Amino acid sequence: MQAFPHGTTATPTAVVVPPSLALPVIESAFSRQLHPYWPQLQEKTRLWLLEKRLMPADKVQEYADGLCYTDLMAGYYTGATDEVLQAVADYSAWFFVWDDRHDRDIVHGRAGDWRRLRYRLHAALDAPRHHLHHPDPLVAGFADSVLRLYGFLPRTWNQRFGRHFHTVIEAYDREFRNRTEGYIPGVEEYLALRRHTFAHWIWTDLLELSAGCELPDVVRKHPAYRRAALLSQEFAAWYNDLCSLPKEIAGDEVHNLGISLITYEGLTLEEAVSEVRHRVEECISEFLKAEREALQFADEITDGTVHGKELGAAVRDCVGSMRNWFSSVYWFHHESGRYMVDSWDDRSTPPYVNNEAAGEK
């Protein structure tokens, strides 16, 4: 495993973070790690996107590496085996493509298309083997990635992952309706929904794949472990909102913590930015406390037995990955072409979106 202070491209250059988005504590206290498998990961995920027809060849060639999807995962699950990391990275790439399809269905008012996709994803989640050759590449790619994820841990983990992702699909449907109707959720309503649209518990479930161990309920639901996991995900979701707020206001968006604060608490744009940033910074400081408690918990369950030793090691591995999430998410937002809106020819249409496959004419 290596640390890298700059970018992950072949010719790394220092990344310039705008002062309004800079978090010195992340840059100084959260060292950036990269799984040594990353070069092969990037290449194989690129090939997987092509094989599953999730992006056309020209889009993959021009944009896939610059979107940095594999960088995000290789900087997070640094303790995973190569095979696990590959499955997680392909799934993550699929997730971004799905998110783009969801957005395009909203923009173009394709309620029927979205409804059909929603039902098909629910079905593929329950029976991925039966959907591997579905005519919609998004459904077939999902089935392939889920089936691979289901191959590492016991059935109980698979069932939990499935329950969590069914909830994510329904949260995306709620967002579809909110955006279509122009409904801005209140602050608490938004925060609750965001935990599902950002898939907090999916990425937390995948920590166990990385550690190679299904954690029992008594560990996963322990306050110290659960709080550390939640804070790492809240940071990611809210930092994403902070980075996206100006462009989402310009695009008449309705799903952003800052927009909910402006609408329901009467804040100005500048005040909303300040408040979201404050929440992001608070997440970091609270995580540092929760991390210490979670590591202390790991020491407590390392009770001298073989099982206790394995469980304590798995918890420490998971908490270490939670820490990685902060730096990985932070740099991803400043390196990925997904967020370089000012460089797009059309700010309303991401250049890497597969319009034809998404049904656009």
Side-chain angles (χ1 to χ4, degrees), residues 329-347:
V329 163
Y330 179 75
W331 293 110
F332 173 69
H333 278 84
H334 303 295
E335 293 173 353
S336 172
R338 192 174 180 85
Y339 301 101
M340 296 180 183
V341 182
D342 292 337
S343 67
W344 300 354
D345 291 336
D346 177 357
R347 290 173 61 91

Side-chain angles (χ1 to χ4, degrees), residues 35 103 106 116 147 176 232 238 240 278 280 282 347:
H35 197 291
D103 178 68
I106 293 170
R116 283 185 290 275
L147 191 62
F176 187 99
S232 73
W238 298 349
N240 177 269
H278 171 71
V280 166
E282 198 170 50
R347 290 173 61 91

Side-chain angles (χ1 to χ4, degrees), residues 61-333:
Q61 181 176 357
E62 187 171 358
Y63 297 109
D65 290 355
L67 290 170
C68 299
Y69 297 159
T70 54
D71 306 41
L72 181 64
M73 294 297 108
Y76 185 13
Y77 302 105
T78 56
T81 64
D82 295 354
E83 186 182 13
V84 165
L85 186 61
Q86 188 66 64
V88 170
D90 290 350
Y91 164 77
S92 171
W94 173 88
F95 201 116
F96 281 111
V97 175
W98 176 49
D99 187 71
D100 291 334
R101 171 84 71 88
H102 177 258
D103 178 68
R104 295 294 93 191
D105 281 350
I106 293 170
V107 168
H108 293 280
R110 297 194 296 252
D113 290 346
W114 164 251
R115 184 174 60 253
R116 283 185 290 275
L117 177 59
R118 170 191 167 203
Y119 292 149
R120 288 166 180 167
L121 292 179
H122 278 305
L125 184 58
D126 288 335
R129 197 176 300 278
H130 297 152
H131 292 78
L132 291 173
H133 304 291
H134 194 281
D136 184 338
L138 202 64
V139 177
F142 179 58
D144 178 81
S145 62
V146 167
L147 191 62
R148 288 158 62 201
L149 293 175
Y150 280 179
F152 296 108
L153 290 180
R155 182 178 175 80
T156 45
W157 183 92
N158 298 345
Q159 291 171 332
R160 173 168 27 109
F161 180 93
R163 288 194 303 272
H164 286 162
F165 203 82
H166 279 304
T167 302
V168 171
I169 295 169
E170 287 306 292
Y172 263 68
D173 184 57
R174 177 72 261 178
E175 180 178 336
F176 187 99
R177 285 178 282 145
N178 286 349
R179 289 178 59 187
T180 300
E181 297 165 8
Y183 171 72
I184 300 174
V187 174
E188 292 307 315
E189 180 186 357
Y190 172 78
L191 292 176
L193 181 61
R194 185 68 162 138
R195 286 173 188 141
H196 296 303
T197 57
F198 202 82
H200 282 22
W201 302 118
I202 290 295
W203 306 117
T204 301
D205 287 338
L206 291 171
L207 291 170
E208 295 168 57
L209 254 64
S210 177
C213 176
E214 181 185 20
L215 298 177
D217 284 356
V218 69
V219 172
R220 289 189 305 104
K221 296 180 179 180
H222 189 279
Y225 181 87
R226 192 168 179 85
R227 180 159 175 73
L230 178 61
L231 284 165
S232 73
Q233 294 298 322
E234 299 280 58
F235 163 80
W238 298 349
Y239 190 68
N240 177 269
D241 280 7
L242 181 65
C243 293
S244 303
L245 182 56
K247 80 176 180 67
E248 292 186 347
I249 288 177
D252 292 324
E253 252 282 15
V254 300
H255 264 246
N256 186 293
L257 176 55
I259 292 172
S260 291
L261 289 166
I262 290 168
T263 303
Y264 292 99
E265 299 193 7
L267 303 188
T268 64
L269 173 58
E270 291 74 16
E271 290 169 338
V273 168
S274 178
E275 173 61 21
V276 176
R277 183 184 174 93
H278 171 71
R279 291 181 183 231
V280 166
E281 291 171 337
E282 198 170 50
C283 264
I284 301 169
S285 59
E286 288 300 311
F287 173 79
L288 292 172
K289 297 176 189 173
E291 178 188 39
R292 288 194 294 271
E293 293 173 3
L295 291 174
Q296 182 179 350
F297 171 58
D299 290 340
E300 292 169 1
I301 59 178
T302 307
D303 57 8
T305 66
V306 172
H307 178 66
K309 183 178 179 181
E310 290 176 349
L311 206 53
V315 170
R316 279 186 284 272
D317 189 288
C318 290
V319 174
S321 292
M322 292 175 198
R323 164 175 274 273
N324 290 340
W325 194 222
F326 285 83
S327 59
S328 196
V329 163
Y330 179 75
W331 293 110
F332 173 69
H333 278 84

